[in-house]
Structures are given as structure tokens and as C-alpha cells.
Amino acid sequence: QVQLVESGGGKVQDGGSLRLSCAASRLTSSNYRMGWFRQAPGKEREFVAAISRFGSATYYADSVKGRFTISRDNAKNTVDLQMNILKPEDMAIYYCAASRSSSPTRNPNDYDYWGQGTQVTVSS
């Protein structure tokens, strides 16, 4: 069974930074497009960032572009999300996801596997 485990969440002040990491097991990393999603209280799960199979292309939600950076290391089976200049509206549970599709997608329905999530809290 494919497993995705997120780590690196925590509490940070407005304007601070956090780096999230997703460790994948029981899959070949290069076969999957990887993404990060988040869900805030009372909100729908929303797209944050995605990265192509070999890391050559990245995609970001407009709300995080210029502040967040997604990266991957297929040799280590990890995907990271560097989050800078965090804002209170970034507070959410962040989920790592994997898709077998080779095409860019922001739709959570296109992802096949999900982690359990890691909490990010931003204080004002």
C-alpha cells in the first residue's frame, strides 16, 4: 500500500517560515506527479502547489505564488514545500498527494494517494 507521511508543521508568527516534507513509500517517485493541498476550518480543500514527475515544472495557486516553493528528491522519495512570508490565511492542515497523471492538475480528484496531513498555524 502506498503511504505518504507529512512532517514539519507547527506554529509560526505572521511573516515567518516553515518547511514541510512528505515522505513516500511503496511507490516509484518518478511515476507520480506530486502536489500539496490545504484545508482550513470551514473551507474546502484547495490546491497549493504541484510538481512534475522529474521536477522540471512547478505550479502554484495564485495565493501562494512567490512565497511558497515546491521541490522533490526522487532518490529519497520526498517532496518538500518551503513556505515563506506566512499569513494568518495560510493556517490550515496541509496534505501531500500523488497522482499517476503526467499532465498538470489542480483538481484534488485527480490525485490517487493522500497523506494524513500536518497542521500549520500562523499567529497574527
Side-chain angles (χ1 to χ4, degrees):
Q1 181 70 36
V2 171
Q3 290 185 319
L4 303 176
V5 181
E6 303 95 337
S7 62
K11 186 176 181 179
V12 66
Q13 288 183 304
D14 189 0
S17 299
L18 283 173
R19 188 177 185 91
L20 306 183
S21 183
C22 173
S25 63
R26 300 184 180 89
L27 61 75
T28 301
S29 293
S30 61
N31 287 341
Y32 292 85
R33 183 178 187 86
M34 303 297 297
W36 285 95
F37 293 78
R38 67 187 182 187
Q39 187 166 21
K43 304 289 186 179
E44 296 294 320
R45 186 170 297 186
E46 66 173 341
F47 170 79
V48 176
I51 189 166
S52 60
R53 293 184 299 123
F54 296 101
S56 60
T58 57
Y59 307 88
Y60 299 93
D62 289 342
S63 60
V64 307
K65 189 173 184 179
R67 300 188 296 121
F68 291 12
T69 302
I70 187 171
S71 61
R72 69 188 299 164
D73 186 337
N74 288 346
K76 297 180 180 179
N77 279 3
T78 58
V79 182
D80 288 359
L81 184 69
Q82 178 66 48
M83 305 184 294
N84 298 324
I85 319 176
L86 283 160
K87 306 173 182 179
E89 51 263 43
D90 294 318
M91 185 173 68
I93 299 174
Y94 283 71
Y95 298 90
C96 176
S99 173
R100 296 188 67 88
S101 174
S102 61
S103 60
T105 179
R106 291 168 167 79
N107 189 342
N109 293 328
D110 293 332
Y111 288 80
D112 303 292
Y113 304 103
W114 294 83
Q116 290 292 99
T118 186
Q119 177 71 51
V120 172
T121 300
V122 184
S123 61
S124 61

